[in-house]
Amino acid sequence: MITTERLHLRPLTENDTDWWVHLHADEDVSRFVGSYTPEQAGARLRGIQQQWTERGHGLCAVELRTTGEAIGRCGLHWWERFDETEIGWTFTRPHWGHGYATEAARAVLEWGFGPLGLDRITAMIHHGNTASTAVARRLGFTPLREDTVLDRPCTVHALDR
């Protein structure tokens, strides 16, 4: 669906359940985004598929173009509660520090502001997640407000078209 120099992003489906559980099983990865049982992962992925059907966007698996290995997730999520579209990224620990989150997120932002015609995209980053805050800053996001997401305080960053 989206291809960059090093990455391929494709919509997540319920077929990704085992991989989703594995991605979130690492304590360093799940620290800010939580972990999932297979049942929880299946339900979450069904919700993602539904968002793709209803809104034309959702979260994607991020794969290395050279090997096809799934190394993370990145994409857009509609929050009805906030009336906002959020971008999010989560990567396996061995792939931290290589610029993949920035590369994938930049491509998702171009898609969101371009073909999807969004005017604003937010990034909801839990307090203490300095790596994601750095990615958001590199992409041009600025703090918009403080809020609570998944029962935890976060800073909501925003980027306008």
Side-chain angles (χ1 to χ4, degrees):
M1 188 197 92
I2 297 174
T3 300
T4 70
E5 182 181 335
R6 301 180 296 167
L7 307 171
H8 177 74
L9 286 72
R10 63 163 177 82
L12 283 160
T13 70
E14 202 171 351
N15 294 332
D16 294 304
T17 298
D18 290 341
W19 174 79
W20 184 274
V21 170
H22 176 74
L23 170 66
H24 295 89
D26 182 307
E27 288 182 10
D28 288 331
V29 173
S30 67
R31 179 174 163 208
F32 297 108
V33 295
S35 60
Y36 291 80
T37 66
E39 295 75 22
Q40 291 168 326
R44 177 72 171 109
L45 290 163
R46 283 189 297 278
I48 290 168
Q49 284 179 277
Q50 182 177 350
Q51 189 166 122
W52 274 102
T53 300
E54 293 174 0
R55 301 197 69 85
H57 62 70
L59 292 177
C60 299
V62 178
E63 302 169 338
L64 292 174
R65 285 183 60 188
T66 55
T67 65
E69 175 190 1
I71 62 167
R73 64 177 175 89
C74 185
L76 299 172
H77 175 76
W78 168 254
W79 287 89
E80 185 173 352
R81 168 183 160 199
F82 301 111
D83 191 26
E84 293 174 353
T85 301
E86 176 202 19
I87 188 170
W89 49 81
T90 302
F91 285 81
T92 58
R93 189 171 6 153
H95 295 95
W96 292 359
H98 299 282
Y100 294 129
T102 302
E103 183 175 334
R106 185 169 283 123
V108 168
L109 289 169
E110 289 173 8
W111 173 55
F113 289 136
L116 293 177
L118 299 173
D119 292 322
R120 171 178 278 175
I121 297 175
T122 61
M124 300 175 189
I125 302 174
H126 287 107
H127 293 173
N129 190 343
T130 56
S132 282
T133 299
V135 170
R137 284 189 182 132
R138 274 194 294 280
L139 295 167
F141 281 84
T142 57
L144 176 66
R145 69 175 186 277
E146 294 298 311
D147 218 314
T148 301
V149 175
L150 304 175
D151 299 322
R152 297 174 59 198
C154 71
T155 301
V156 179
H157 299 77
L159 184 63
D160 293 328
R161 182 177 358 171

